[in-house]
Every structure is written in C-alpha cells, then in structure tokens.
Amino acid sequence: MTMAGAFAPPPPGVPPGRNAFEQTHATAEFKQLRKRRHSAPFTATALLLTAYLLNALVANEAREFMAIPVTGHFTVGLIASLALCAAAPLTAFWYHRYATNNLDPLSRRLSAGLERIGEGR
C-alpha cells in the first residue's frame, strides 16, 4: 500500500527533490513558529520549576522564616506554597492565550500554504 501522490511530480514552484514539507520547513515563518513555540513556554516552565525547588529548599532550610505568622494562622510558608499552587494553572492559562495569539495564526498560514502546494497552485 502506498501513500497517495507519493510518486506524483512536484507541483509548480517546488524545486525537484523537495516536497511540500521540506519547502515549508525552509520558510522564515516556520522558523519563527518553531522559535516562538520553544522560547516562551520553556522559560515559563523553568521559572515555575525553579520557584517550586526554591520553596522546597527554603521550607527545609529556613523553617523559622517559613513559620513567621502573617495573619491569623497563615504563615509565610503557607502563603508561598498556596501562591505556587495558583501559579501552575495561571501558567497554563497564560500559555493557552500565548498559543492562541502567537502560534495559531502562524500555523494556520503554514497549513494554508501546504494545502496550496498540495493542490498544485
């Protein structure tokens, strides 16, 4: 069983030996999409993991500091831990908005270009 169009000649405008995917990977838009997809989310993830590890380290090494009462039964450690628990879904929400505003338009344009190449336009 072969893929449809596996032996078809390349569409006009595509150099011989380069399929639509290779041509798309060579565009500036694809490189921009790849850079955007990796840079911001990895930075946000690294910051969140660093905050979690720092919280664990401070909770273990500076117990007196984490036990300082802020208001009522709320301590510095409890507030810091609750803030980290809130930070994880906030980071996911931020990434959803980031992807919707920055990644989806580029990927739609690239998909449309692939469809045009596949149709031979």
Side-chain angles (χ1 to χ4, degrees), residues 40-64:
F42 287 162
T43 304
T45 302
L47 288 173
L48 189 62
L49 287 176
T50 301
Y52 273 116
L53 293 174
L54 186 63
N55 185 41
L57 179 69
V58 172
N60 189 41
E61 299 297 325
R63 292 182 182 163
E64 297 83 25

Side-chain angles (χ1 to χ4, degrees), residues 11-34:
V14 177
R18 293 190 77 186
N19 65 24
F21 294 109
E22 290 171 342
Q23 184 182 10
T24 301
H25 281 247
T27 63
E29 277 187 330
F30 184 80
K31 292 174 184 171
Q32 183 182 20
L33 177 65
R34 177 177 275 170

Side-chain angles (χ1 to χ4, degrees), residues 25-115:
H25 281 247
T27 63
E29 277 187 330
F30 184 80
K31 292 174 184 171
Q32 183 182 20
L33 177 65
R34 177 177 275 170
K35 182 181 177 189
R36 283 184 184 180
R37 195 181 118 219
H38 290 159
S39 64
F42 287 162
T43 304
T45 302
L47 288 173
L48 189 62
L49 287 176
T50 301
Y52 273 116
L53 293 174
L54 186 63
N55 185 41
L57 179 69
V58 172
N60 189 41
E61 299 297 325
R63 292 182 182 163
E64 297 83 25
F65 172 72
M66 296 296 259
I68 295 173
V70 176
T71 178
H73 293 292
F74 291 101
T75 62
V76 171
L78 180 62
I79 291 172
S81 296
L82 290 175
L84 284 173
C85 288
L90 288 174
T91 303
F93 176 73
W94 167 81
Y95 180 71
H96 178 267
R97 289 191 59 193
Y98 175 81
T100 301
N101 295 331
N102 297 312
L103 302 179
D104 290 351
L106 271 174
S107 62
R108 277 191 223 105
R109 281 197 298 262
L110 288 169
S111 278
L114 275 172
E115 289 173 6

